[in-house]
Structure formats: structure tokens, C-alpha cells
């Protein structure tokens, strides 16, 4: 991955938009990122890490806290980072969660985090890969680069305080980093796959073993031989017992058949007795059935005569309806005759009134002759009215023009006076603006000072805790050293005592060479014997204590470095504003509100003055047209007055020629219209009277004819009623009833009649069924007697008891035989499967133990492969480390296996040519560990690309660490980085060391100010 450009906006200390175009630095540049403490040098690495992964390099600051306090409220925080992988250019843009001003109204709203990823191929075509989804963006970046955030910080971006993490990591922590870099996950997958197969085979073997024991336990056998012996014994017992069992079963069957036959005969006798009892109970319902037969016969007779009754009722109803209709028509005819008399009277009155129509026609002719003069009078009146209205309007226009002219003159005087007043009272707006800007900068500095003070207090508290941890670690180190010294002293004493026991007179001592031994060493009873394992354990404990002490010292140094950095930032703020500690936030806010209000008031006054000055020329230009409008309105009004006098004379002349009753406008026309309406009304009344008289005459004729027809129909209905009455009385006389009331009372519903018939039918069927069944059973049981079931039951129970005893014994034999036979079959199948599983486990189990690290070396396949690769990395790193330490140090992979189950194979140690011994890398000093970590990171880049593992590490950013080097080591480190530059690497160094600034002309300077930091490219 090689960076192309980085754009930062309102991020960290950068208040505006700052852009770094890495292509301007040249091809594979070696450059310095320089600036004062707190200016924002490390923020550039934070910005790149945030753009790619959404977090910062040190992970001490949340991404949402990276918004610049100096930035304008409407300028959003965002970072855009472009880089190239192969022939493809990628562009990442990410925004954190932040507050922005509302688009409507006042206040702020929270904007969610967003992320975008674009890819541009060699042809120049750009595609959007991720749209807004920050989680998906991070996943895509990890897939592209091949490193997650933690691994990226350890091999490509080395931030403050994290140089030594990769160098000092344990095997288990270093393994995932190297696996990701060298793409050795296939070996891990192979380990897991083989291990899972072995576990599965082992589980199957255990399951088969448990199944075998379970099968033998079910048949109470200890082994397979006992199972075979029991099976043979059971088979012999079955052959011996079978004849006796068959004889008992045959006897039981004979007794069961005898009892079944007797029970069947007893049931037939019981059935006959039950049928006889049921038949006797059935005969008790005979009187009721006789009553139903009688009622049914009467109901049938009623139904024969009832049609005559229905016909009589229908004729009666028709006769009553006819009489009612005739009465209604008589009333309607009388009303129609009265209406006809009224219509004849109205017709005569209309004919008399119609005779006055001729007089109305003559009066209309006379009025029509006056119509032209009336028209002239109306026109003269309208002209006079129009001239009066015009004169009124022109008078109003003249008055309005005068008022407008006076208003313009008054407005002009008022504006001139107001402009003079505003010029005298307008405050110095430039001074207010400067005061407000200064106060805003001071408030920003105060907020930054407050946050830095809080962070420093927290760091001081952490420093106290870490100092205590360091003291404890030093005490533990001293204790471990003291214990090792005691153990070594005791061990040497013990060795001397053992050696003294082997000394012989006149023989040379293997230590001093003397042949005399005046005071040979003696075993001391108060000293506990010490073994070599105790010494080894004490040395390991001392090594761990040394590592813990070094780690605590590094942690304390990091914390103190952070406090120093915070002190420098606080000093810079106090240098800009010494009064910060004495300020009060509430007073600053009140001053800001006062200045803001004063600026708003000054702006309002300035705006009013500008508006007044713009309005004054316009008013001056409007005065002359207003004066001309007044003169024109006066002239028009005088001319209209002359025309009004002439129109009045013409109107008076016309009024003298027309009668007074018709002078008013519209009276003549209204009178003519009224006469026309009267004539038409007379005609209409005559027509209506004639129509009404004809309709009434037609109604009288129609009703008279209908009454005659109804009289004839009435006579026919009377005849029919008489005949129906005679037929009904004859039917009653022919029935068995005494009168018609008794006959009608005997009538029942059809459903009741059918229910009677059904009840009678069921009774007759049941009687036939009982008689037939009794007769059949009598024939069947003739000559037979009732059997003794109790005796037969006792005989069967005795035989059943005998058979049950034989049956139980027989079933036990059969069950045992089946269980034994099934167990033999299951054991045979399990033995076949066990042989196959054992053969498979001999291969897969052994392979799993070797691959997963369950071996003497405690090294898995992946860790073995990574160990080989790490050897290559360490060989390359040693070349650079030797050059940077003048041949003193070499990086080695620790060969000794760790104690217990702790993973090993990837642990590092350093060989010191000064002592000729190897020791843990944690024992290196701060500057030495920086050089070792730098050499290791550079070697990783070389070896990973050499193995073409899919990850291209051609960029390295180093944040601080050079300050811990002496001048010679610094020069050697710079020479090493320059040699990397020549091999095609892009290397950026973040430092404020003056020697670096002097040696590296190509720089990115980060310049801090009270309004935020800015970026400048130097040496292009």
C-alpha cells in the first residue's frame, strides 16, 4: 500500500481543510513530519488510521473526540485518504459521529457516522464500493490491505508508545500477526481439520467402548466367553422344556373351548328371558295406541270436509272486499261531481275577465310612443351622473396628489435628520469585531487548557499507580535476585561437599591441584540441598521479574512522556494567554454574549444607515413628478366642472317633455312590462280554467262507469256465497260430528297427524319383532338346560394357573436366548468397527498430535512454518540491527521450550556480542529497543514481499522514538532508512528532534497557531 494524498477537515488541531499530496514528495520519498509538541504531527497518523479503520493509532482517543475545537460550527469533520494497491487507486472518505447546526431553526442535531470507498482501475473507471456503511467500509479495507487496525499499527504505522509491542509480544500474540502477514492460515486450517477428525475418531472409539460395556452389562456377563457359555446353556434348557410346555398349552385350550360353548348357551337362555320381559312391557302401551288410531281416523274425516269450509271463507272475503270498493267509489264520484261544478264556475269567471284584454292593448300602444324620449332622458341622466362621479374622482385625485407631495417632503426631512443622528451615534464596528474575535480565541484556548488540565490530572494519577507498580516490580526483582544468589551459593556448597567426598590422600584435587587436603568441605546441615531444576526455576523467575520490571518501567516512561507532552501543550497555551488559570468560564460566556449583542446592534444601525442613504435620492427624485401631478389634477377638475353645467341644462329640457310619472329611469319600461304580463296572465287563466273543467268532466264519467260494473260483480259474489254455504253444511251433516264447531275443533296440524301414524307404525313393528324373536329362541333351545358356568370357570382357572407357570418359565428362556443372541451379534459388529477405527486413529491421531503442537517441542505446524519464516525475518533484521548498533546486537528466535503448557516457538531474544550471551529482548534499553523494533518492522516488509504472501508493505510511518538515540545511533538509523528508500519504500518520520530536521530537507511542517494548525510542504 502506497499513499497518494490525505485531506483533513476540522480534525484534531486542524480547523480548516488541509491536504497532503504525497505524490509531490517524489517517488518513494523519505520525509520528516516536523512540528512543535501538540501541533498535530501524530494526528496525521490518526487521520490515516481513522480513514481506514475508524479509530486512532494509539486508541487513547475516540474518533468522535477528534473534532477540532477551532473549526466553524457549520464545517463538518471528515478525513479523505487515497492510496494505491497494484494498479488500482482507492479513495476512502469517513466522517465520525458529530453535532452540526440544524438546517431549520436554532440548536444542533447529531449526525451519524458515514463512510465511502471508491476504486479507480487502470482504465480510469471509478466504482463506488461502499456507500455510508462504516462497518462494511472497515471490513472491505481489512480485506484489501490484509491487516486489521491493530496489525496495521504494528507493522506500517508505529505510533508513540507502541514501538516495542511487536518486539516484546509473546508467541501467542505474535502468531496471529505473522500468520496474517505471511498468509499461513491454510496451515492452521489443516491443523484444525486434522484435529477435528482425530477428535471425532476418538469420540467414536470411546462411544464404542461404552457401547460394548453396556451390551455386556445388559446380559450380566463379564466378557465374550461367558456370553457364549450362557447362550449354549439356554439353548439346551429350551429343548428339554418344550414338550412339557406344549402339553400344558393343549389342556388350557380344551378348557377354554368348553367354557366358551357353555357361555354361548347361557347367553341364548338369557336373551329369551329378556325378550319375553320386553314383550310384556310393550303390551302395556296398547290403550294409548288405540286412542291414537281413533284420533287419526277423526283427523282424516275432518280433512275431507275442510275444503268446503275454506271455499266458503274465500267467497265471504271477496264479497266484503267488493262492498268496500263500491263504497269508496261512491264517495269519489260525489267529490268529482262537486269539483266539476267548481270548475264550471271558474271557467265563466275567466271568460268574463278575458274581455278586459283589449283595453290593455290600447294602453300599451300609447306608452310605446313615449319610449324614445324616455331613452334620451335616461342617457342625459347617466351622462350627468358620470360627469358628477368624474368630478368627484378628479377632486379626490387632486387631494391625494397634494397629500403625497406633502408626505414626500416630510419624509425627505425626516431621512436627512435620521442620517445625521446615525452618523453621530454609530459605534466602532471594527473594534467590536476584533474584541469578539479575540474573546472567541481566548475561550477556545481556555476550553483546550481545561481539557488538557483534566487529562494531566488523570495522567498524574496513572503515573502514581504505575510508579507503585514499578516499585513492586523492583522489589520482586530484588527478591528474585536474592533468592537466585542464595540458591547458587547453596548449590556451590553442595557441589563442593560432593567433590570433597571423592578426594583421596596423595591424589591431586581437580579444583586446586593440591595433593594435601587439610580442610575438605563438609556438608552443612542447616542448608537445604539444591537441585539444578531449582536453579533453572529461580533463573526463569528472575527473567520474568526482569521482564515485568522492564514493562513497568516502560509503562511509567510512557505515562511520564504523556505528562511531559501535556505540560508542553499547557505551556504553549499559557505562552499565548498567561491569564488562562485565572479565567472563569461563566464570565467568558457573559462577555461573549455582551459583545455578540453589541455587534448585532451595531450591524442593525449600520444596516439602517445604509437603507436611509439609499432611500434619500429616491425621495428627492419623486418630489418634482408629484408637483406636476398636482397641477395636472387641478386642470382636469376645472374642465369637468364646465361639462357638468352643460349636461344639467340638457336634462332639464327633456324632463319638461315627459309626464312626471315616467321621468324616473325605468318607470316607463316597468309599466309596459307590467301591462304585457297582465295580458298574458288573462290568457293563461282562461286556458287553465278550460283544462280543469275538461279533466273534472272526464273523472265523473269514468267513476260512473266503474260503479255500474261493480254492481254486476256484487250480484255474482252473492250467488257464489249462497252455494258455498250449502256445500259446507252438507259436508258437516255427512260427517260423524254433531255440528261444524265440533268438526273444526277436531282438526289438527299435518305434522301432528303424521306423528300419530308413525307412532302407530313403530308399535306394530316392535310387536312383530318381539313375537318372532321369542318363537325363534324357543325352537333353538328346545330340549336343552342351563349350563353350570361356575364349575367350568373354576376348572379353567386351575388349568390357567398351571399353564401360566409353564408360560413364565418358557418366556424367560426365550427372552434370555434373544438377549444373548442379540448381544453376540452386536459385539460382532462392534469388533469389526473397532478394528477399522483403531487403524484410522493410528494414522489420524498421530498426525493430529504432531500438527497441533502436542509433541515434545510444543510447536504446532503453523507455528513451525512461522518459525522458519521468522528466522528469515530475524536474519534480515539482524543485518540492519548490526549496522545500527555497530555489530553489537543480533535478533534470534528462542529455541528452548517454555515451561508447562505455555506456547513456544516464536519467542525472541537478543544476542549481545559484548557478553557473548543471549538475553530477553525486554532487557534492551529504550533506544536499543527502538532500533530493534525498527529493524524488525523493516525486515517484515522485506520478507513478506519476498514470499509474495499477498500483502505489500511498501510504506512505513514512524512516530517519535528517535529522541532516545545518541547522535551516532541516530545517524546509523537514518542511513538505514535511506537505504530502504532506494529499494522502493515510502518512509515518513514524525519527530521534533533538531538533528533530524537538519539532516532531512524534505519535510511536512505542522505549524500551530491560536486559530488551529496548518500544513506546509518544505524542500520541494
Amino acid at each position: 500500500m502506497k499513499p497518494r494524498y490525505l485531506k483533513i477537515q476540522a480534525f484534531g488541531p486542524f480547523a480548516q481543510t488541509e491536504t497532503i499530496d504525497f505524490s509531490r514528495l517524489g517517488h518513494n520519498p523519505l520525509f520528516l513530519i516536523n512540528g512543535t509538541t501538540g501541533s498535530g504531527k501524530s494526528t496525521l497518523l490518526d487521520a490515516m488510521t481513522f480513514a481506514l479503520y475508524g479509530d486512532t493509532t494509539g486508541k487513547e482517543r475516540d474518533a468522535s473526540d477528534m473534532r477540532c475545537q477551532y473549526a466553524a460550527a457549520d464545517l463538518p469533520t471528515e478525513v479523505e485518504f487515497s492510496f494505491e494497491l497494484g494498479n488500482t487507486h482507492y479513495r476512502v472518505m469517513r466522517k465520525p459521529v458529530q453535532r452540526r447546526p440544524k438546517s431549520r431553526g436554532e440548536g444542533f442535531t447529531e449526525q451519524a457516522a458515514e463512510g465511502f470507498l471508491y476504486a479507480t482501475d487502470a482504465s480510469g473507471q471509478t466504482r463506488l464500493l461502499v456507500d455510508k456503511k462504516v462497518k462494511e467500509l472497515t471490513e472491505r479495507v481489512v480485506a484489501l490491505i490484509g491487516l486489521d487496525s491493530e496489525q496495521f499499527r504494528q507493522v506500517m504505522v508505529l505510533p508513540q508508545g507502541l514501538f516495542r509491542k511487536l518486539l516484546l509480544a509473546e508467541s501467542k500474540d505474535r502468531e496471529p500477526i505473522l500468520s496474517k502477514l505471511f498468509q499461513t492460515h491454510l496451515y492452521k486450517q489443516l491443523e484444525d481439520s486434522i484435529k477435528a477428525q482425530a477428535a471425532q475418531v476418538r469420540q467414536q472409539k470411546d462411544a464404542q467402548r461404552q457401547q460394548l460395556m453396556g451390551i455386556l452389562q445388559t446380559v450380566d456377563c463379564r466378557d465374550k466367553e461367558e456370553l457364549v457359555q450362557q447362550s449354549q446353556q439356554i439353548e439346551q434348557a429350551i429343548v428339554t422344556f418344550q414338550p412339557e410346555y406344549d402339553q400344558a398349552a393343549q389342556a388350557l385350550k380344551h378348557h377354554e373351548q368348553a367354557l366358551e360353548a357353555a357361555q354361548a348357551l347361557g347367553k341364548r337362555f338369557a336373551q329369551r328371558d329378556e325378550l319375553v320381559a320386553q314383550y310384556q312391557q310393550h303390551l302395556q302401551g296398547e290403550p294409548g295406541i288405540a286412542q291414537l288410531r281413533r284420533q287419526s281416523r277423526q283427523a282424516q274425516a275432518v280433512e275431507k270436509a275442510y275444503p268446503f269450509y275454506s271455499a266458503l271463507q274465500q267467497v265471504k272475503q271477496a264479497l266484503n272486499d267488493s262492498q268496500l270498493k263500491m263504497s269508496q267509489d261512491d264517495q269519489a264520484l260525489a267529490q268529482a261531481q262537486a269539483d266539476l261544478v267548481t270548475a264550471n264556475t271558474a271557467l265563466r269567471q275567466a271568460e268574463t275577465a278575458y274581455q278586459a284584454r283589449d283595453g290593455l292593448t290600447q294602453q300599451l300602444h300609447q306608452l310605446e310612443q313615449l319610449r324614445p324620449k324616455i331613452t334620451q332622458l335616461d342617457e342625459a341622466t347617466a351622462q350627468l351622473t358620470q360627469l358628477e362621479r368624474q368630478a368627484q374622482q378628479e377632486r379626490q385625485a387632486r387631494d391625494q396628489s397634494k397629500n403625497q407631495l406633502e408626505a414626500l417632503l416630510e419624509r425627505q426631512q425626516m431621512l436627512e435628520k435620521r442620517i445625521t443622528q446615525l452618523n453621530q451615534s454609530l459605534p466602532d464596528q471594527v473594534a467590536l469585531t476584533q474584541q469578539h474575535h479575540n474573546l472567541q480565541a481566548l475561550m477556545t484556548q481556555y476550553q483546550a487548557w481545561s481539557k488538557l488540565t483534566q487529562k494531566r490530572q488523570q495522567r498524574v494519577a496513572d503515573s502514581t499507580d504505575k510508579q507503585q507498580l514499578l516499585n513492586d516490580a523492583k522489589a520482586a526483582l530484588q527478591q528474585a535476585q536474592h533468592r537466585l544468589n542464595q540458591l547458587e551459593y547453596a548449590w556451590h556448597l553442595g557441589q563442593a561437599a560432593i567433590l570433597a567426598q571423592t578426594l583421596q590422600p596423595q591424589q591431586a584435587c581437580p579444583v586446586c591441584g593440591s595433593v594435601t587436603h587439610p580442610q575438605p568441605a563438609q556438608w552443612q546441615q542447616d542448608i537445604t540441598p539444591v537441585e539444578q531444576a531449582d536453579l533453572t526455576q529461580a533463573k526463569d523467575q528472575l527473567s520474568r521479574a526482569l521482564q515485568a520490571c522492564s514493562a513497568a518501567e516502560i509503562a511509567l516512561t510512557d505515562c511520564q512522556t504523556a505528562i511531559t507532552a501535556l505540560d508542553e501543550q499547557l505551556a504553549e497555551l499559557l505562552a499565548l494567554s498567561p491569564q488562562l488559570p485565572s479565567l472563569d468560564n461563566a464570565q467568558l460566556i457573559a462577555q461573549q454574549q455582551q459583545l455578540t449583542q453589541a455587534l448585532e446592534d451595531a450591524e442593525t444601525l449600520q444596516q439602517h444607515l445604509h437603507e436611509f442613504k439609499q432611500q434619500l435620492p429616491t425621495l428627492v427624485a419623486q418630489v418634482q413628478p408629484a408637483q406636476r401631478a398636482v397641477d395636472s389634477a387641478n386642470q382636469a377638475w376645472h374642465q369637468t366642472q364646465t361639462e357638468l353645467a352643460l349636461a344639467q341644462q340638457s336634462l332639464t329640457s327633456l324632463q319638461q317633455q315627459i309626464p312626471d310619472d315616467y321621468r324616473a329611469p325605468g318607470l316607463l319600461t316597468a309599466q309596459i312590462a307590467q301591462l304585457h304580463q297582465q295580458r298574458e296572465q288573462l290568457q293563461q287563466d282562461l286556458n287553465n280554467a278550460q283544462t280543469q273543467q275538461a279533466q273534472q268532466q272526464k273523472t265523473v264519467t269514468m267513476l260512473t262507469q266503474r260503479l255500474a260494473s261493480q254492481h254486476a260483480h256484487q250480484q255474482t259474489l252473492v250467488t257464489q256465497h249462497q252455494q258455498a254455504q250449502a256445500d259446507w253444511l252438507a259436508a258437516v251433516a255427512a260427517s260423524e260430528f254433531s255440528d261444524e264447531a265440533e268438526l273444526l275443533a277436531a282438526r289438527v296440524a299435518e305434522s301432528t297427524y303424521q306423528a300419530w301414524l308413525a307412532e302407530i307404525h313403530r308399535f306394530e313393528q316392535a310387536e312383530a319383532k318381539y313375537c318372532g324373536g321369542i318363537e325363534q329362541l324357543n325352537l333353538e333351545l328346545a330340549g336343552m338346560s342351563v349350563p353350570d358356568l361356575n364349575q367350568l370357570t373354576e376348572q379353567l382357572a386351575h388349568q390357567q394357573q398351571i399353564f401360566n407357570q409353564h408360560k413364565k418359565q418358557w418366556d424367560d428362556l426365550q427372552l434370555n436366548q434373544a438377549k444373548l443372541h442379540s448381544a453376540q451379534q452386536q459385539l460382532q459388529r462392534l469388533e469389526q468397527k473397532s478394528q477399522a477405527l483403531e487403524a484410522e486413529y493410528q494414522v489420524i491421531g498421530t498426525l493430529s498430535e504432531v500438527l497441533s503442537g502436542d509433541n515434545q517441542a510444543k510447536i504446532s505446524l503453523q507455528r513451525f512454518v512461522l518459525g522458519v519464516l521468522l528466522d528469515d525475518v530475524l536474519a534480515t533484521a539482524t543485518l540492519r540491527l548490526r549496522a545500527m548498533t555497530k555489530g553489537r546486537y543480533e535478533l534470534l528466535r528462542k529455541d528452548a521450550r517454555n515451561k508447562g503448557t505455555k506456547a513456544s516457538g516464536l519467542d525472541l531474544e537478543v544476542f549481545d556480542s559484548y557478553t557473548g550471551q543471549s538475553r530477553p529482548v525486554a532487557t534492551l534499553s529504550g533506544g536499543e529497543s527502538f532500533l530493534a523494533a525498527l529493524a524488525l518492522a523493516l525486515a517484515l516488509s522485506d520478507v513478506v514481499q519476498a514470499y509474495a504472501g499477498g500483502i505489500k508493505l511498501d510504506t512505513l510511518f514512524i512516530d517519535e522514538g528517535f529522541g532516545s538515540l545518541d547522535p551516532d545511533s541516530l545517524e546509523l538509523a537514518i542511513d538505514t532508512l535511506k537505504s530502504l528508500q532506494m529499494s522502493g519504500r515510502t518512509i515518513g518520520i514524525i519527530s521534533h528532534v533538531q538533528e533530524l530536521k537538519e539532516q532531512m530537507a524534505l519535510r511536512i511542517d505542522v505549524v500551530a497557531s491560536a486559530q488551529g494548525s496548518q500544513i506546509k510542504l518544505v524542500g520541494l
Side-chain angles (χ1 to χ4, degrees), residues 686-703:
L686 179 60
N687 293 338
N688 292 338
Q690 290 174 349
T691 301
Q692 184 69 21
Q693 191 273 341
Q695 290 179 352
Q696 294 299 330
Q697 184 63 48
K698 182 179 179 181
T699 301
V700 170
T701 303
M702 182 270 294
L703 290 173

Side-chain angles (χ1 to χ4, degrees), residues 237-254:
I238 290 174
V239 172
T240 304
F241 184 69
Q242 186 168 5
E244 184 178 350
Y245 173 75
D246 293 340
Q247 182 179 0
Q250 187 65 30
L252 177 63
K253 183 177 180 181
H254 173 72

Side-chain angles (χ1 to χ4, degrees), residues 23 44 63 77 121 126 206 323 448 521 598 636 699 884 894 945 957:
S23 61
L44 299 180
T77 298
D121 54 22
T126 300
D206 294 340
Q323 290 175 350
T699 301
M884 289 188 288
K894 185 178 179 180
Q945 293 183 83
F957 287 93

Side-chain angles (χ1 to χ4, degrees), residues 178 182 184 187 859-876 893-895 904-908 940 943-944 947:
L178 297 177
F182 291 105
T184 60
Y187 299 101
I859 299 177
S860 65
L861 174 63
Q862 176 176 252
R863 194 173 293 123
F864 173 77
V865 174
L866 290 177
V868 175
L869 297 173
L870 182 58
D871 289 340
D872 292 344
V873 173
L874 296 178
T876 304
R893 184 165 63 93
K894 185 178 179 180
D895 293 331
S904 59
L906 299 179
D907 291 317
L908 300 183
L940 274 173
V943 176
V944 168
Y947 278 93

Side-chain angles (χ1 to χ4, degrees), residues 124-231:
Q125 183 178 2
T126 300
R127 296 176 292 113
L128 176 62
L129 302 181
V130 178
D131 185 10
K132 291 187 178 182
K133 300 178 181 179
V134 293
K135 184 178 180 181
E136 181 182 353
L137 171 59
T138 303
E139 293 173 352
R140 291 296 293 270
V141 168
V142 172
L144 287 172
I145 301 178
L147 300 172
D148 59 23
S149 175
E150 185 69 23
Q151 295 163 347
F152 181 80
R153 285 190 290 272
Q154 290 179 329
V155 300
M156 294 187 71
V157 177
L158 302 180
Q160 295 182 20
L162 298 179
F163 276 85
R164 304 175 65 191
K165 272 197 172 181
L166 180 62
L167 181 68
L168 301 178
E170 295 183 356
S171 284
K172 63 181 180 64
D173 299 324
R174 191 177 287 110
E175 181 176 358
I177 301 174
L178 297 177
S179 175
K180 191 73 173 183
L181 291 174
F182 291 105
Q183 300 291 305
T184 60
H185 57 277
L186 294 177
Y187 299 101
K188 181 61 176 176
Q189 292 175 0
L190 178 61
E191 291 177 22
D192 296 340
S193 177
I194 297 298
K195 186 175 182 180
Q197 294 180 29
Q200 184 178 4
V201 174
R202 187 163 53 251
Q203 290 175 359
Q204 292 177 356
K205 287 180 58 182
D206 294 340
Q208 287 186 354
R209 189 179 303 106
Q210 295 295 330
Q211 190 175 1
L212 174 64
M213 296 302 297
I215 292 172
L216 292 174
Q217 289 177 0
T218 56
V219 293
D220 294 332
C221 293
R222 292 186 299 273
D223 50 29
K224 182 179 178 181
E225 290 73 14
E226 185 177 355
L227 175 63
V228 173
Q229 182 180 359
Q230 289 188 10
S231 179

Side-chain angles (χ1 to χ4, degrees), residues 511-529:
V511 177
C512 62
S514 174
V515 295
T516 61
H517 316 294
Q519 292 181 348
Q522 300 295 327
W523 188 266
Q524 298 183 16
Q525 299 296 328
D526 58 339
I527 297 178
T528 304

Side-chain angles (χ1 to χ4, degrees), residues 441-471:
L442 183 60
M443 290 183 67
T444 303
Q445 294 171 1
Y446 178 76
Q447 293 174 357
W449 179 82
S450 299
K451 288 186 177 181
L452 289 174
T453 301
Q454 293 177 359
K455 288 184 178 179
R456 188 185 183 281
Q457 293 174 354
Q458 181 63 37
R459 289 292 186 180
V460 169
D462 294 343
S463 176
T464 303
D465 296 339
K466 289 180 172 56
Q467 181 65 52
Q468 182 62 40
L469 291 176
L470 177 59
N471 295 337

